[in-house]
């Protein structure tokens, strides 16, 4: 388990009222019955933080879209729809993993549509754990090879689709991940200024999270 994430759950996270995880918490999640040591340690840490009073909510990512009810029950997490509008007393946010807006990557969008179908998921989860591990490994290899042949622009959020998304969600501050390009973007949509925040990846020696103090968002760095 990533030491920084464990330390975060045991420390800074418990000073917050709520924690929102916007997908890809796991490198791959092939079913709630995959009780490998890494998965179980993360589930246990989430459950401990939840039992201590931290409200934890989670959106599916493109790597852990099979997180299900058993995971939610054991970890104490609430699974949210994507996108999710978060209305707080002083501000409104819209949260998403972000991959649905990468509309220029047609191959990925076709893959995403296929694996999100209930029929595909039922068939996949009906296979043995060993079979699912092999399939997930092949899918990961194909994904890595595909990224090497694509431009960064095609794997980023489409500007027009993003503006439509911001318009549809009332110009709320937009927070997402997926692109591996952490930044704060300023959008002008229908003459209205809207912020878009992109989350950073977590590594063995560095992690980063966003915090809201009731007035502003801030990036917090962990080492």
């Amino acid at each position: 388990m990533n030491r920084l994430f464990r330390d975060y759950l045991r420390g800074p996270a418990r000073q917050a009222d709520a924690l929102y995880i916007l997908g890809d918490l796991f490198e791959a999640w092939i079913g709630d019955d995959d009780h490998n040591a890494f998965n179980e340690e993360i589930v246990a840490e989430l459950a401990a933080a939840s039992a201590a009073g931290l409200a934890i909510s989670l959106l599916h990512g493109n790597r852990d879209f099979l997180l299900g009810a058993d995971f939610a029950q054991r970890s104490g997490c609430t699974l949210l729809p994507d996108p999710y509008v978060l209305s707080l007393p002083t501000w409104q946010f819209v949260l998403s993993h972000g991959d649905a807006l990468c509309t220029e990557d047609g191959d990925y969008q076709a893959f995403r549509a296929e694996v999100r179908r209930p029929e595909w998921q039922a068939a996949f989860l009906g296979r043995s754990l060993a079979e699912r591990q092999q399939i997930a490994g092949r899918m990961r290899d194909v994904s890595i090879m595909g990224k090497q042949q694509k431009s960064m622009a095609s794997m980023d959020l489409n500007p027009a689709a993003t503006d439509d998304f911001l318009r549809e969600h009332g110009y709320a501050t937009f927070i997402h991940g997926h692109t591996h390009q952490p930044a704060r973007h300023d959008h002008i949509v229908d003459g209205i200024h809207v912020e878009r925040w992109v989350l950073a990846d977590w590594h063995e020696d560095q992690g980063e999270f966003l915090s809201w103090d009731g007035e502003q968002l801030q990036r917090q760095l962990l080492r």
Side-chain angles (χ1 to χ4, degrees), residues 79 92 150:
L79 297 177
Q92 184 161 288
K150 297 175 182 177

Side-chain angles (χ1 to χ4, degrees), residues 11-12 49 52 54 62 68 71 73 76 83 90-91 96 101 103 111 116 122 124 141 162 166 174 179 211 218 223:
L54 177 64
N62 56 291
F71 162 81
Q73 190 277 326
T90 56
W91 207 251
S96 175
L101 294 175
T103 57
F111 166 80
R116 297 301 179 102
F124 180 79
D141 290 343
T162 301
L166 296 174
F174 182 21
T179 65
S211 65
Q218 294 182 337
R223 294 185 184 276

